[in-house]
């Protein structure tokens, strides 16, 4: 049985954070897609997807992550993944997602790296 997914949004000095907790799968992917379309990214901001609480991610979830990247790029913003659990990180490596996303150990590390790269 699929667990629920909790979404929480926040802001940092560099942009927005979307925290995902639970399963990102074909049951919960539409909820995340909707949340993404409601995010108001501005040019030059960074969207950080905090995945620390992610318990699993199937192909629908991977599709949503790519949609998030496309959403950020369309807004002339950047995107990064933070705190990807090892069990999920392995899947991302297998499908090559680490080539599409900067990955950081925490939201703070993503923010620090963004501030250094934009200086």
């Amino acid at each position: 049985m699929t667990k629920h997914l909790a979404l929480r949004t926040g802001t940092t000095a560099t942009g927005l954070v979307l925290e995902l907790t639970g399963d990102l799968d074909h049951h919960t992917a539409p909820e995340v897609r909707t949340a993404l379309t409601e995010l108001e990214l501005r040019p030059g901001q960074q969207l950080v997807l905090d995945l620390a609480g992610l318990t699993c991610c199937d192909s629908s979830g991977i599709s949503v992550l790519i949609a998030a990247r496309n959403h950020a790029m369309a807004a002339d913003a950047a995107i990064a993944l933070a705190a990807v659990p090892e069990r999920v990180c392995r899947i991302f490596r297998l499908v090559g997602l680490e080539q599409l996303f900067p990955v950081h150990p925490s939201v703070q590390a993503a923010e620090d790296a963004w501030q250094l790269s934009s200086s």
Side-chain angles (χ1 to χ4, degrees), residues 44-58:
Q45 285 188 321
Q46 175 178 237
L47 171 61
V48 177
L49 301 179
D50 182 354
L51 306 181
L54 202 63
T55 51
C56 81
C57 182
D58 70 4

Side-chain angles (χ1 to χ4, degrees), residues 10-115:
T11 59
T12 67
T14 61
L16 302 173
V17 176
L18 181 60
E19 181 183 326
L20 306 174
T21 303
D23 292 348
L24 181 54
D25 59 19
H26 69 280
H27 295 290
T28 59
E31 178 183 357
V32 178
R33 281 187 192 275
T34 299
L36 286 168
T37 61
E38 294 171 356
L39 291 178
E40 293 185 30
L41 287 170
R42 297 186 190 347
Q45 285 188 321
Q46 175 178 237
L47 171 61
V48 177
L49 301 179
D50 182 354
L51 306 181
L54 202 63
T55 51
C56 81
C57 182
D58 70 4
S59 60
S60 299
I62 290 169
S63 176
V64 166
L65 296 177
I66 293 169
R69 180 179 181 267
N70 293 342
H71 178 66
M73 291 176 66
D76 200 20
I79 189 166
L81 304 180
V84 182
E86 184 54 39
R87 64 191 166 280
V88 176
C89 197
R90 183 174 180 275
I91 295 165
F92 289 1
R93 281 192 303 269
L94 288 171
V95 298
L97 280 187
E98 78 280 358
Q99 296 173 23
L100 295 178
F101 296 94
V103 179
H104 302 281
S106 67
V107 171
Q108 184 62 55
E111 184 176 352
D112 293 346
W114 178 249
Q115 288 176 331

